[in-house]
Amino acid sequence: MQLPCTQRNNVSCQANCVYNQGIAKTANHRARHNGGTKLTSKINDEDFPSLFENEAVASSLPAHKWKVLIVDTDAQVHQSTVLALANIPVLGRTIQFLHAYSTKQAIEFLQAESDVAVILLDVVKEGEDAGLELAMSIRQDLSLRDLRIILRSAQPGYTPALDTIRDYDINDYKTSSGFARDGLYATLTSALRSYAQIHALSVGRRGLDQIIKASSRMMTHPNMHDFAAAIINEIAGLLGLSPEGFVCAREKVSAGSQIRIIAAAGRFARCIDQPLVDLRKPALIALLTRALDERRNLANDNASVLFFFGKSGTELAAYFETGRPLDEINRRLLDVFGTNIAIILDNVELFDQLHEQAYRDPLLNIPNRLAFMHAVGNALTAQPLTTTVALVDIDHFSHLNDALGYRYGDTLLKAVALLLIGKLPEGTLIARMAPDTFGVLGDVQTITPQTLLPLFRDPFVAEGTEQRLSVTIGLTRLSEVDGNASDAIKSAIVALNLAKHHRRGEGVYFTRSMEIEARARMRLLRELRAAFDQQRLFVEYQPQFCLKTQRLIGVEALLRWRNDEGRSIPPDQFIPLAESSGLIVALGKWVLRTACHDLQRLVSDGPAEVGGLHMSVNVSVVQFRHPGFLDSVDEILSESRINPRQLELEITESVAMLDANFMLATLNQIKARGIAIAIDDFGTGFSSLSYLERLNVDRLKIDQSFVNQMMLSNSSLRIVETVVQLGHSLQLQVTAEGVEQQVQADLLERIGCHAGQGYLFARSMPFDQLRALLAAPPLKKLAAGKKG
């Protein structure tokens, strides 16, 4: 037969022309048979693509030879087929023939050989429907969708039904006339091209499906190291390789940057967390460095490098060994995979940032309370018998912070963190639990008061000055905790609170009795809230007298509480609870309103001399800091209509030591309203004389502890004398609290103290009793002036 092709020496091209003519003739024959329109013999490019346009697709196939399975009971057919096409390349590759002489044997071959491209299948020799049954089994049972099926029959007149060809995706059907070499070559070429295209699509689909699933799995690795380790495993799964490789990151160091391995697998597993240069493999290092510098994927004959870049600046490179050059499809899949990974990397970076914010203290760069709680939970599970939780609280840090500024305080906190990290054994966890409290989790033998307290003997240096700090510590052994991490930390808090109230500057271990006391305090707080809501609290007034004239010059409003059982609860039990819970803001406002209204009633109903009486009301640090404090004062002054000059607010030194700018501004606003200011319990805090001189106050009140001891202790007496002299030098009034004996009053009067209050003069009393006292003669006991 004369071939209609000028390139007759080109066997592939000749075969293509023969095959195209055969397709056209068959199509025209079928069109005539079915009464349809005659088809042209010309085959357009879009109808049948060029043999050579899919070389890249063919190169993506898994073997170096085409695998073609011959299924026929006749050994001569096997032999003639092999002889016809032996060593003749098809689409750039030779053919490897496999032989099966029965349907059963063919199925066994196909189950063992996963990459058979074409099957040449006899239709009827083994049985009338054996070939078609095998075709059905290939598609339905074995699910081999890429494999191309060519039916052959030596029986003339046998033609499979069109629906059979369609349903079983049969590539072609040939009778004995199509067994000639040229015809067989053209048929196989078309089938193999079809297989290459379908297989490439299948590989692509499977690869994309794997990428989607891999992306989903990798989203479950929120930290960078787990994410990097997953990259290696997912690449290996995508390419069908064993995981041999590593992921490295470029990180900043003091001298510039370095490349560090952050995840590894296979023979590189021992290299995790090592600098890349430690591998001592120049070619490998050069390939990775180049990929990071040029910010792109690179490959050689045996390995590939993928580059990933996150929005926050993270640069990663994944090195994996392939053992062979990657084909076009795998390279494209890796590009898609890399794009997905870059997107997920942004999420991982976000997770890292959120994790950092959730578990790290931003000021000190150490674990925070949440991280500490997780660590305690792990320790409860893993080693409760050998682990202790300690809470290290810096004594009076808030006063220091307020007086010297937050920057100074931050510097001190950093110094304390460095001290604990540097001095405590390796493996001890240091965390910031509160503004001035550190959590310590470590071995029960080393985390003790005896090891922690001595660390604070030497002064700290902050901004060029030395500052001594003392700490109070609450500890709990995890072996004594019944519950979870939260319960363990609560136990340490209970111990810390007890130490702060009774053993400041020491360390106290949690005991069961403390838990009972803590529950009692919580019950007391609940009862206090209920008493306030049900108006069972009341105010009493303790008179204040001029020591020189013995005249009544003022009263101090004192909050009192009697429970349902009629028992009086001491203020030193419930006032701290009110302050720590924030209830003191509402309580304090109520006391101030009650005192001002009672003062107005005294002025309205009493003698004229009552107009010189002043009303002292205590203000806690919590109230003073509250943003609505001054508004509350204005509201109460307006509704009570008292003379502001008769009102005196008592603040403690802890209030006076707040932030200087805030403190001075607030005091000046109070003074601008005509209200007097007294510093209560003076001498027990940390006021400096220079700072006190700047405060616009009117009175100093000497704490009763010094008054009680001044007759027995020269040091207490000197403190009292110093406070009185200080008051005189600053032109301030001085009042002594807790005066119970006449000898105390006489001594105070001799050293120049202006006023006193205490049981010697009068106990605190209800308003009605105070009003009766003021109404009774002789009225000359009342002071003529505000301060006597």
Side-chain angles (χ1 to χ4, degrees), residues 175-360:
T175 60
S176 56
S177 62
F179 288 177
R181 177 179 178 181
D182 289 345
L184 184 59
Y185 182 88
T187 299
L188 267 181
T189 299
S190 176
L192 288 172
R193 181 190 296 108
S194 177
Y195 169 79
Q197 293 171 336
I198 294 172
H199 182 74
L201 290 173
S202 297
V203 170
R205 288 193 188 100
R206 286 195 300 271
L208 291 174
D209 183 61
Q210 282 183 276
I211 290 171
I212 292 170
K213 292 177 179 177
S215 300
S216 178
R217 287 191 296 269
M218 294 188 73
M219 286 293 291
T220 65
H221 300 291
N223 68 73
M224 186 62 71
H225 283 79
D226 290 349
F227 172 75
I231 289 177
I232 302 170
N233 293 326
E234 297 299 347
I235 290 176
L238 183 63
L239 299 180
L241 304 170
S242 60
E244 289 282 345
F246 57 87
V247 176
C248 55
R250 193 196 297 273
E251 56 187 27
K252 293 180 179 179
V253 294
S254 57
S257 65
Q258 71 171 5
I259 303 172
R260 180 175 292 276
I261 297 172
I262 60 174
R267 63 189 181 90
F268 296 101
R270 59 182 177 81
C271 304
I272 295 177
D273 205 32
Q274 292 183 8
L276 180 63
V277 294
D278 289 356
L279 290 182
R280 303 187 184 283
K281 295 180 179 293
L284 185 154
I285 294 171
L287 184 66
L288 276 158
T289 304
R290 183 180 160 206
L292 286 167
D293 289 342
E294 297 180 5
R295 303 163 72 86
R296 65 187 182 95
N297 302 339
L298 293 174
N300 57 29
D301 289 344
N302 298 306
S304 293
V305 176
L306 286 184
F307 172 78
F308 311 104
F309 177 73
K311 289 181 179 178
S312 66
T314 302
E315 295 182 0
L316 301 180
Y319 172 88
F320 51 97
E321 295 187 342
T322 58
R324 56 180 170 80
L326 292 179
D327 54 52
E328 179 67 18
I329 288 182
N330 281 327
R331 286 197 297 272
R332 291 180 181 178
L333 286 175
L334 283 178
D335 287 340
V336 175
F337 178 77
T339 301
N340 270 30
I341 293 304
I343 295 171
I344 300 172
L345 177 58
D346 293 337
N347 293 333
V348 171
E349 290 176 330
L350 178 60
F351 276 123
D352 273 351
Q353 293 170 9
L354 293 175
H355 185 277
E356 186 79 7
Q357 295 173 6
Y359 292 96
R360 302 288 292 183

Side-chain angles (χ1 to χ4, degrees), residues 640-680:
S640 65
R641 299 190 305 277
I642 66 167
N643 181 356
R645 297 186 179 280
Q646 288 186 264
L647 179 62
E648 181 176 81
L649 299 182
E650 294 189 12
I651 62 174
T652 61
E653 283 186 270
S654 60
V655 176
M657 293 298 288
L658 293 175
D659 176 67
N661 293 332
F662 168 77
M663 179 64 194
L664 293 174
T666 306
L667 285 180
N668 287 337
Q669 291 182 70
I670 292 173
K671 292 288 291 181
R673 290 161 170 79
I675 302 171
I677 301 292
I679 297 183
D680 195 17

